[in-house]
Amino acid sequence: MKPQTVIVIGAGVGGIVAATHLAQRGLNVTVLEKNSHAGGRCDRFSCEGHHFDAGPTLLVMPLLYEAEFAALGASLREILDLQRVDPTYHLAFDDGSQLALTSDMKSMQEQLEAFEPGSFQGLLRYMAEGRRHYDLGMEKLVNRDFRNATDFFRLSNLPLAFKLKPFTRHYRNMSAYFDDPRLKSAFTFQDVYMGLSPFEAPATFSMMSYTELAHGVWYPKGGMYSIVEALVALAQRAGVAFEFDASVERIDVNRDQARGVILTDGRQLKAEAVLANADLPYVYRDLLPQDGESERLARKRFSCSVISFFWGVDKPYAKLPPHTLFLADDYRDNFKSIIRDLDLPANPSLYVHAPARLDPSMAPEGQDTIIAIVPVGHLSENGEQDWAKIRDEARQHVFRRLRSLGTADLEEHIKFEVNYTPLSWRKRYNLMKGSTHGLCHNLTQLAYFRPHNKHSRYHNLYFVGASTHPGTGIPTAFVSGRLSAQRIIDDLNSQS
Ligand SMILES: Cc1cc2nc3c(=O)[nH]c(=O)nc-3n(C[C@H](O)[C@H](O)[C@H](O)COP(=O)(O)OP(=O)(O)OC[C@H]3O[C@@H](n4cnc5c(N)ncnc54)[C@H](O)[C@@H]3O)c2cc1C
């Protein structure tokens, strides 16, 4: 019997993972990717011997990676050459104080006590809560497929409403552990990864700072793109076919099913199932017939965006740590400005990454490769944001911040610059509103309330990736890929 065919739209991490699971189960899988190579947001480019991870720079939640590579029949440690980054981040505050987040508890104790006497005990209690949230959250929310309302609204899930503190705001919850606002921000800034402000994020997300300190932040040799290379090799070994520069124009549907896809080059491909890895709100708006759902999705909350600067510089900055985070005093206003005003804050918090500190091959000898990421609002509906002006302001903020750490001459040593604004994110990966993390992870867009991995009307159309369950991030994209592939396999089995 001819194997059943699945078309995957997009070669992002979720798409490749799902495709591999499906091919390993004997299905005939083709991945269509509009760009010239795989990876989606987990992208890479090189210029004059400088190598840049264009999206993710942090391998977090290593236990999830281990489990998900194992589910694909591979070993994380054999496939990737990993090194632990410790201290994880160097935090720099407006008043000149610094904090190196490290798993070395003696060093943490000394540093924290200098900020606020007694705060080390606060950290230990906060980590204990983070661990509870991580363990429960992984088991009950992330690794679960909520196919029906009853999978979520069940008596056994009721204690989660207390144990995971979903109704307590993360920042407010920090008062139970620290008084010093710098420490409150040091252990909540990770909420930005979820597209959220700590002033509105559920306290559940203490799981993020917990996993970073307890399980570590890691770096694969060759950069984050080596994860994509490993995944593509696994997919090809399983028999997945990839077509690059293959942009899908629309999904071919009839009343209640997807028949295949139509590409921009006019080709029509048929399939028993279609799995969309392209960002979900974009798929509803651009690839499916309009039935009101697209407008409903557009009204949902989207995560912020970022302006990224990629610099090749002609001298090494050996003192610049791999991950530096500048956290602004006006922490609350920063989030207000980004999330509510869709703007660049007056004094933005920002992140600088120097990958050659971890892997010298990321820059030519005697030179350096530097990435700066400045969070900003996503694209507004009225299109009035002046991105060239905002980008230029953001660049000056990076130089100003680096000067405060003693790196005063970076601007003079830049050989070339590549930069991405929200317009670039939209264009490169079809991300609606240029929102780098897709739909954000507030309470009404989490777990059962997040868009499901299957379309409610077209019974053989499925979704995978950041704006679907369980959410944004590379490890979660692995989970999303596995869950959506299982769903397809279960449905096809039940039909045959
Ligand atoms: C700046 C930045 C920093 C980040 N930092 C981290 C980090 O440090 N750690 C971490 O774990 N995560 C991080 N993330 C998040 C992580 O990169 C994403 O959550 C994850 O890569 C999303 O994967 P996905 O499966 O949703 O696919 P996507 O990456 O969204 O890929 C979807 C693919 O579909 C393709 N596509 C779209 N439309 C079409 C079409 N019509 N036809 C064909 N193909 C199409 C796109 O080109 C793309 O390749 C970061 C993201 C960004 C942007």
Side-chain angles (χ1 to χ4, degrees), residues 44-52 310-315 356 360-370 413-418:
R44 174 176 69 187
F45 68 90
S46 298
C47 186
E48 298 179 20
H50 300 264
H51 306 292
F52 300 91
F310 306 96
W311 291 309
V313 291
D314 66 11
K315 75 172 234 198
S361 73
M362 300 301 275
E365 214 181 320
Q367 304 191 22
D368 219 340
T369 293
I370 292 174
H413 289 277
I414 292 177
K415 293 192 296 174
F416 63 84
E417 171 184 302
V418 175

Side-chain angles (χ1 to χ4, degrees), residues 8-16 32-35 37-43 54-60 65 193 224 246-249 277-279 282-283 287 306 308 351 373 425 428-431 435-437 464-467 471-477 480:
V8 180
I9 307 171
V13 171
I16 310 172
L32 304 170
E33 167 57 51
K34 83 173 186 61
N35 291 335
H37 55 276
R41 278 169 258 195
C42 188
D43 209 344
T57 52
L58 304 157
L59 193 155
V60 293
Y65 279 92
Y193 305 160
M224 293 296 281
S247 186
V248 170
E249 188 168 86
N277 178 219
D279 196 36
Y282 153 83
V283 173
L287 303 186
V306 299
S308 296
Y351 161 71
I373 300 184
W425 296 111
R428 281 172 184 278
Y429 311 109
N430 284 338
L431 300 177
S435 151
T436 40
H437 295 277
V464 59
S467 288
T472 186
I474 298 187
T476 13
S480 185

Side-chain angles (χ1 to χ4, degrees), residues 79 86 97 103 126 128 164 185 188 267 309 318 382 405 413 421 430 461 489:
I79 266 189
D86 198 323
S97 57
S103 56
Y126 181 61
L164 285 175
S185 58
T188 52
R267 278 184 298 151
F309 298 98
N382 60 23
L405 272 195
H413 289 277
T421 69
N430 284 338
L461 174 59
I489 289 160

Side-chain angles (χ1 to χ4, degrees), residues 31-156:
V31 178
L32 304 170
E33 167 57 51
K34 83 173 186 61
N35 291 335
S36 61
H37 55 276
R41 278 169 258 195
C42 188
D43 209 344
R44 174 176 69 187
F45 68 90
S46 298
C47 186
E48 298 179 20
H50 300 264
H51 306 292
F52 300 91
D53 276 317
T57 52
L58 304 157
L59 193 155
V60 293
M61 300 190 168
L63 305 186
L64 210 47
Y65 279 92
E66 254 165 33
E68 293 302 323
F69 268 111
L72 289 167
S75 152
L76 168 69
R77 307 278 161 174
E78 280 169 24
I79 266 189
L80 297 175
D81 185 354
L82 290 179
Q83 63 170 300
R84 188 165 178 163
V85 186
D86 198 323
T88 52
Y89 308 90
H90 284 81
L91 306 183
F93 299 96
D94 280 347
D95 63 1
S97 57
Q98 292 183 34
L99 176 62
L101 294 185
T102 167
S103 56
D104 174 348
M105 285 296 130
K106 193 164 170 300
S107 160
M108 278 302 264
Q109 183 165 15
E110 281 165 17
Q111 295 186 78
L112 288 195
E113 293 298 316
F115 271 75
E116 177 191 331
S119 59
F120 182 64
Q121 281 308 316
L123 175 71
L124 295 182
R125 286 188 294 110
Y126 181 61
M127 286 291 114
E129 175 174 286
R131 181 186 181 153
R132 283 196 301 278
H133 288 177
Y134 179 87
D135 290 344
L136 256 183
M138 285 298 139
E139 183 197 334
K140 302 279 189 191
L141 299 179
V142 173
N143 271 314
R144 280 283 170 86
D145 190 1
F146 301 107
R147 296 188 182 186
N148 304 299
T150 48
D151 294 334
F152 185 69
F153 297 104
R154 53 171 58 185
L155 218 53
S156 60

Side-chain angles (χ1 to χ4, degrees), residues 300-361:
K300 282 189 178 283
R301 285 277 311 281
F302 283 70
S303 69
C304 62
S305 189
V306 299
I307 296 180
S308 296
F309 298 98
F310 306 96
W311 291 309
V313 291
D314 66 11
K315 75 172 234 198
Y317 287 88
K319 287 206 179 120
L320 195 60
H323 303 294
T324 307
L325 221 101
F326 295 90
L327 290 173
D329 267 357
D330 38 5
Y331 194 54
R332 187 188 290 269
D333 283 346
N334 252 257
F335 287 104
K336 225 190 263 167
S337 160
I338 293 166
I339 290 166
R340 199 192 57 193
D341 308 336
L342 303 180
D343 205 350
L344 171 73
N347 174 31
S349 296
L350 55 91
Y351 161 71
V352 175
H353 176 43
R357 287 310 82 71
L358 300 166
D359 178 355
S361 73

Side-chain angles (χ1 to χ4, degrees), residues 381-419:
E381 295 301 323
N382 60 23
E384 277 172 2
Q385 295 140 311
D386 181 347
W387 287 112
K389 181 168 166 278
I390 296 173
R391 179 201 57 208
D392 292 346
E393 282 171 18
R395 187 190 295 107
Q396 290 311 316
H397 283 297
V398 178
F399 296 146
R400 174 177 62 81
R401 294 297 208 156
L402 283 172
R403 267 198 301 277
S404 73
L405 272 195
T407 302
D409 61 350
L410 179 72
E411 200 173 355
E412 293 144 41
H413 289 277
I414 292 177
K415 293 192 296 174
F416 63 84
E417 171 184 302
V418 175
N419 59 63

